[in-house]
Amino acid sequence: MVYPTSIDWGKPIAETALWVAEMINAAGGVDGCKVDVVVRDDQADPKVGVDAAEALVDLDKVQLLIGTVSSGVTIPILTSVTAPAGVMQISCCSSSTRITALAADGTTKGLWFRTFATSKVQGSVAALLARDAGIRKVTIFQKNDDWGQDIARLAAEAFKGAGIEVAGQVAITDGQPSYRAEVTEALATRPEAVYLALYPKEGISVVREWIALGGTTKMIGTNSLKSDEIRDAVGLQYLADFIGTDTSTPRTDSAAAFPTTFETRFGRPPSGPGLPNSFDAAAIALLAYHAAGRGATGAEIAAKVPLVTDPAGEKIAGDVEGFRRAMALLSEGKSGSYQGGTGAVVFDRYGDVTAPAVSWTFGPGGVEERRYIPLEEVGAFIAALN
Amino acid sequence: MIGVISYLAFFATMAGILAIAVLGLNLQWGTTGLFNGGVVAFFGAGAYGTMILGGRPEPGQFGGFEAPFLLAVAGGVGLAGLVAWAVGLLTLRLRHDYLAIATFGVAVAFESVTRNAEWLTGGAKGLRGFPRPFEAAVGDPFLYGLLFLGAVLEALGLAWWGLERLTASPYGRALRAIREDEEAARAIGKNPARLRLQAFVVGAMLMGVSGALYATFYAFIRPQDLAPILTFQLWAMQLYTGSIQYILIGLVIVLMLLWRPEGLLPERIGRRTPNRTAGTAAATASKEATTP
Amino acid sequence: MIQNLADGILTGSVISLGAIGLTLIMHVLRFANFSYAELLGIGAYAALVFDRLLSALAPALAAAFRPLTLTGSLALATVLAMALTGASAVAIDRMVFRRIRARADPLSMVFASFGVALIVRNLITLAFGHRAQLYSNDIAFAEVVSRDPMLLIKPGQVFVLVAAVVLMLALHLILTRTTFGFALRAVAENPTLAQVAGVRLAAMVTAIWLIGGALSAAAGVFYALTNHLSPALGHNFVLPLFAATIAGGIGSVYGAVAGGFPVGIASGLSLMILPSGYTPAMPFLIILAVLLVRPHGLFGEARA
Amino acid sequence: MTASATSSATAAAAPVLEVAGLEAGYARDLPIPQAISLRLARGSLTAIIGPNGAGKSTLIKAIAGVVPVSAGRVTLAGRDITGIRPDRMGPMGLAYVPQTDNVFQTLTVAENLALAPRRTAGRAARLAELYALFPPLAAKKADRAGSPSGGQRQMLAVAMALAQRPAVLLMDEPSAGLSPKAAGAVLDLARSLTGQGVSVLLVE
C-alpha cells in the first residue's frame, strides 16, 4: 500500500485501509492467509511514490497495490510500475480524468480501479447549481495544478453546456505573495458569481481579497474548500451566498453506518477527505484477492473485482460479519454486491465510479448540507449537457 | 533474490540517469566555473522534447509524432542545447550569484511554460509518454529492467568517456584556464566568451539526455518533476563528489549534506582563500584532492 | 492599468523593505541566503503573539484605528517583533552561519541556508499550525478612489506604503547622517577596506542582521496585515526578494528599495500581457531584463 | 623573492616595526613571501622593490593583517601584532593604504574621512588637521570619493590612513596608475611624513 502517510490528511486514509485489513483477518483472512499490509509513504511526491511502489513490487512481491491520493503520483506509478509489472492498483482518491483516458487506450490493462468519482461529477454539479440559482455569467478561479486545471476545464464545459457564460478563467499559482493582480483581473470580467476550484491555503487570500475589492459574494466552491479555516478567515457574514459542491455517498444503510463504525473504531468521526473511499477500495481489493486465491496474479485479482461488486449478487456489508459472509460466497464461486462506506460501488469498464452529489454551505457549527442530488439526477444532467 | 536485484536495478537506473545530468553540471561548474542554477530547465527541455516527438497523438495536443526513440531523444537533447545556447548568449557574461539566479529564473520560467501551455506540454497534468522502447518485445519486466539499466549505464559511460577525453585535451585545459583566470586566458589567445558558451551548451545537452531518459523511464513527465529542488539535489551530488568517478557514490553522500557541511573528505581539501570568490577555489581544491 | 500599477507599488513597498537587509547580507557575507525571507515569517508571527498578549493585558489597545484594521496593540507588537526578529537573525548567524563561514565555502553556506529555512518554517508550523491566521478577522473594504478608470485602494495598503516609506527614510537618515551609517555603507561597498579603515567587521555584520531582521519583521507584519499569516509566508517571498536585490544591484541599499517596486509593479502589470498562470516567472524576466542592460543591477557597482 | 630594501635613514637601535621570518599567503593562488625579515626605524622611509609577482604586495598585506600569516612574527613598537585583525591595527599605530580600491567610492570625501578616526581620540581636531594638510580634499568634501582624479583619490586614501595617527604607514604601490606629476606629489608626501616621525614602508 502506498499512501502519503507523512501528510496530515494522508495518515487517516492509510489507517482506514489498515483497519479493513484487520477486519478481513478477523474474518479469516484472504483465502485462509493473514493479510500482511506493507505501507510505504509517497510524501505526495511522484519520485518518492514510484520508488515506494517499485520497492513493493520488486522486494515485497505484491500483486495488489492500494494507492495513492494525488493523481500526479498515481499516474506515474500506474504507467511505470504496476501496469508494466501486471500488478493490480486501486486508489481511494485520485480524481484525474487523465486516468480514464489511460484506461480507455489500454495502458492500464484493466488493472486499475478507483472508488472516487472523477472531477466531472463536481464540475457538472457546479453548473447545475448555478443554473438553479439563476446565474448567467461566472468567472473561474482555478488552482494552477493538475487537479485545478482538470476540474476548471470540466466545470467550464458544464457551465457552457448549461447556457452559462464563462467570463474569465484565472489561474492561481500557489506560493505567490499576493493574488491581488489576479483578483483585479477577475473583477474586470464583472461576473454574477465566481467558481472557486481552490484549496484553502490560497482560497483564503483570494476570497478575502475578492470581497475586500467589492466582488460578488455569490460563490460556488469545490469540496476542497470544505474547511473551518475558510469560514473563520473569511467570516460567515460574507459566506451567506456561498454554495459548495461535493460528491456524496448514496443514501443507503451501509453509507449511513460508516461514520458510526468509524467512530467506534477510532474514537473520532471520519472528518477528513476520502475515508469511506479508502475503506471501500481496500475492502473490494482484498475480497477480490480472496476470490482469486492466495497465489493469484494482479490480473487474476482484477478479474474477480466484478464478482465482488455484482449488483445482482447478495448484499455484503462492510464489517467483519459481512466480510466473513462475502468470503464464503466467493469461495463457492458466487458473486456479491459490496455495500460500503460509499454505498454500492460499481466500476465502469475504465475502473471509474460515479457518485451522487450534495451541495453544502458554511454554517455556525461547521459545514452544513443543503441538498442531496441523487445519482440519477447527476447522470441526467451530465447527459443533457452533451 | 530476483526482487532485490530488480529493485537495485531500478535504483541504479535512476542514479545513472541523474548522474548523466551531474556530468553536465561537472563540465559547467567543475571545469568551466559556470554557476548554473537552472539545471531543471535543460533537464526538462530534454524530457519534454523527447515526449513531444516520441509520444502518441492525443486530441487537442500538439506533438505526438511517434518519432523513433533515438530520433525523439536526439530532438529532446537538441532542444536542451538550443535553450542553453539562447540562455547562454543572454546570461553568460554575468558572474557567480547573478548567473546563478538568472539561470534559476530561466528554470522557473520554463516550469511556468510547461505548467500553462496546455496545448504544447499538457499543462499541470503533464505529458504522457510512449511505451518504453522494446519493452513489449522483451516481455519479462525483470529482464527489461536490467536491459534498461544497461542502456543507461552505457549512455553514462559514453558521456563520461567523452568528458574525460575532453577535459584532458587542450580544449579542456583552455576551459580550466578560463575558470582560473579569464584575463590570462584571453592573453594567450583564447576566446573566453565562445568557450564558455560551448561548455554551457554541451553540459546542458547532457542534462537533456538525462531528462530524456528520465521521461522515457517513467513514461510520463509533468511540471512537478521540474521542481527547483531537483537542481539542488544535482548540485549537492556534484559538490560533494567533485570528481566524476565518485558521482554514483554521490547519491548516498547527499544525505550527509546537512550534518557534514565541510564535505566528506575535509582533511584532503586544500586551504581556502577568503579574498577570492572562494567557491571556485574550494571546488577546485576538492576536485583535485579527490582525483587519483 | 492604473489599478495594476497602484497594486504593484503597494506590493513593491513590502518587497523593498524585505530586500534591504538581504542585499547587505548577500554582499557582505557573499552568499545567496535562501533563509533570509523566513525572517518575514518570524516577524509576522512574533507580532501575532505580542498582539494577543498586549490586547489581553490592556484591552484599551485592542481598538482599531479606523478605517484601518490596525490596532494599538498590533502597532506596539510590531515594534517588539522588529526587535525580537533582529535578535533572532543575529542568533541564527551565531549558531549556524558564522560557524560555517569559518571553515567552508559559500556554497555550503547556501545549502545551510536551505536547512535553516526548513527548520524555521517547521518550527513556526509546530507552534502555530498550518492554518491561516489573521491579526483581525475584519475585512477592510477597498475605497473607490476613482470609477473611470477604476481604482480601488484598501486603507490598510495606504498605511503600509506610508509606514514602509517612513522606515526607509529613517534608514536613509541613519546611513547618510551618522558615522555608524558611513561604516555600514563602507562595509557594504568593500568589507576588506572597511576593516583596514578601522571598522569592526563582526560588529557591522551583527548590526546588519539586526537592521535586516527588524525591517523584515516590519515587512512581514505589513504583508500579513493586508493578507494573512501562514507558515509559508516567508517562503513565498524568497524569489521576489532575490529579484528585487539583484535588479537593484547586490550591496546597494537604495538599489534594494528601487528594485522592490519594479518587481511588484511588473507582477501586477504582467497579467495584462500574459495569462495568470505565468506570474511566478515574472520576477525573473525582470531580473533578466535589468541584467541585460546593466550587468551589475540598477545601482550596483562592478566588484572585484 | 628578490626584493631589496633601501632605507633613507640609518636604522635606529630600537626599530619601530620589526618583521622576522615572515611567510604568508596561499600556495594556490598568491606568490608567497618566504622568511622575510626587515626592521623599520622611527621616521624612516623604506621602499621594497622587485619584479611583478614577487610577492611584495602579499608581504605588506600580511603585515597589515589582511592576509593570514603562516609563519614568522610582526612586532610594532615591541608589541607582537602578528595576525591580529586589520581593524585593530589602526589603534595599535599601523595604517595601510591598499594599491587599488583604497577609498569608498559610494561615500563622499567627508564621509570617507569621518570613517577612519571613529575610535581615535581628538577626532574633530584630527579631521581639521587633515583638511588643512590636504586643501584639495577640503574643497571636495561633499563629492563622491569615486569622482576626483587619481591623485586626489590617493591623497584621500593616505589621509584616511593618517587619520588613525599611525606610527607606521604601509603603502602598496602608491604611484601606480598616477600621472608622473601626481606620483611625485605622493612620494613627496610620504617623505614629508617621515619628518613628523612616521615610518613609511612602501612597495613599488
Side-chain angles (χ1 to χ4, degrees), chain A residues 46-47 50-51 54-55 58-59 61 72-73 75-76 79-80 84-85 98 102 105 107 144-146 149 153 171, chain B residues 3-4 6-7 10 56 58 115-116 118 123-128 132 135 141 214 217-220 222 224-225:
Chain A
K47 283 193 284 297
V50 170
D51 181 53
E54 188 73 38
D58 285 343
L59 300 184
K61 303 261 189 298
V73 185
I75 296 175
T79 55
S80 71
R98 162 148 284 230
L102 287 175
D105 72 11
T107 303
N144 201 15
D145 68 359
D146 47 356
Q149 289 182 353
R153 182 177 54 80
Chain B
V4 175
S6 170
Y7 179 67
F10 159 80
R56 289 179 296 188
E58 277 188 66
R115 186 177 287 274
N116 294 291
E118 234 176 313
K125 66 181 187 293
L127 205 55
R128 188 155 54 95
R132 296 184 257 189
E135 185 167 24
Y214 179 91
F217 187 62
Y218 280 128
F220 185 66
R222 59 177 202 152
Q224 282 90 325
D225 292 322

Side-chain angles (χ1 to χ4, degrees), chain D:
Chain D
M1 194 175 84
T2 55
S4 65
T6 56
S7 185
S8 63
T10 45
V16 60
L17 180 77
E18 184 166 9
V19 174
L22 193 73
E23 292 182 22
Y26 299 100
R28 293 201 52 77
D29 40 16
L30 289 173
I32 334 164
Q34 281 178 339
I36 301 296
S37 296
L38 59 88
R39 292 150 72 97
L40 241 61
R42 185 171 303 279
S44 65
L45 173 65
T46 309
I48 301 175
I49 323 164
N52 255 346
K56 307 180 301 274
S57 229
T58 309
L59 167 68
I60 208 169
K61 280 179 182 155
I63 299 173
V66 179
V67 302
V69 174
S70 47
R73 268 163 62 90
V74 182
T75 332
L76 183 71
R79 288 160 81 188
D80 185 355
I81 58 162
T82 320
I84 67 169
R85 284 203 319 265
D87 60 89
R88 292 180 56 211
M89 290 288 184
M92 295 277 214
L94 183 136
Y96 160 60
V97 182
Q99 178 187 347
T100 52
D101 290 330
N102 51 17
V103 300
F104 298 103
Q105 305 193 13
T106 54
L107 273 61
T108 64
V109 169
E111 286 168 349
N112 263 287
L113 266 180
L115 262 188
R118 281 172 76 223
R119 289 185 292 161
T120 315
R123 163 195 156 127
R126 183 62 180 163
L127 285 180
E129 267 175 52
L130 286 170
Y131 283 123
L133 190 59
F134 302 110
L137 294 184
K140 297 204 164 179
K141 261 185 177 179
D143 289 11
R144 288 258 171 147
S147 57
S149 67
Q152 282 169 350
R153 217 179 304 172
Q154 200 68 28
M155 190 185 284
L156 176 58
V158 174
M160 282 166 68
L162 291 179
Q164 307 189 52
R165 295 182 195 275
V168 174
L169 180 66
L170 310 178
M171 298 173 87
D172 193 352
E173 299 204 33
S175 62
L178 295 186
S179 66
K181 190 175 155 221
V186 169
L187 289 176
D188 286 345
L189 171 63
R191 210 167 291 130
S192 74
L193 290 173
T194 59
Q196 301 164 28
V198 179
S199 313
V200 179
L201 173 66
L202 56 86
V203 303
E204 273 300 335

Side-chain angles (χ1 to χ4, degrees), chain B residues 14 16 66 80 85 88 95 98 103 106 129 204 209 212 231 255 292:
Chain B
M14 265 336 283
E66 298 188 274
W85 180 74
R95 285 309 171 74
Y98 289 105
T103 44
V106 168
V209 172
T231 294
L255 299 172

Side-chain angles (χ1 to χ4, degrees), chain A residues 170-229:
Chain A
V170 178
I172 300 291
T173 307
D174 61 2
Q176 297 304 300
S178 166
Y179 296 112
R180 214 181 138 87
E182 284 87 344
V183 169
T184 304
E185 164 120 335
L187 212 55
T189 62
R190 299 177 192 276
E192 288 175 31
V194 280
Y195 179 62
L196 307 167
L198 300 170
Y199 283 14
K201 204 171 67 170
E202 63 276 352
I204 289 170
S205 289
V206 170
V207 173
R208 278 177 65 93
E209 201 76 77
W210 175 255
I211 290 170
L213 293 181
T216 169
T217 54
K218 282 186 185 163
M219 295 178 274
I220 302 171
T222 53
N223 63 341
S224 51
L225 293 175
K226 229 178 186 179
S227 98
D228 294 346
E229 213 177 335

Side-chain angles (χ1 to χ4, degrees), chain A residues 171 177 180-181 205 209 212 229 232, chain C residues 7 131-132 142 154 223 228 276:
Chain A
R180 214 181 138 87
S205 289
E209 201 76 77
E229 213 177 335
D232 296 345
Chain C
D7 291 345
R131 291 174 62 105
K154 287 198 272 184
Y223 170 76
H228 63 94
S276 46

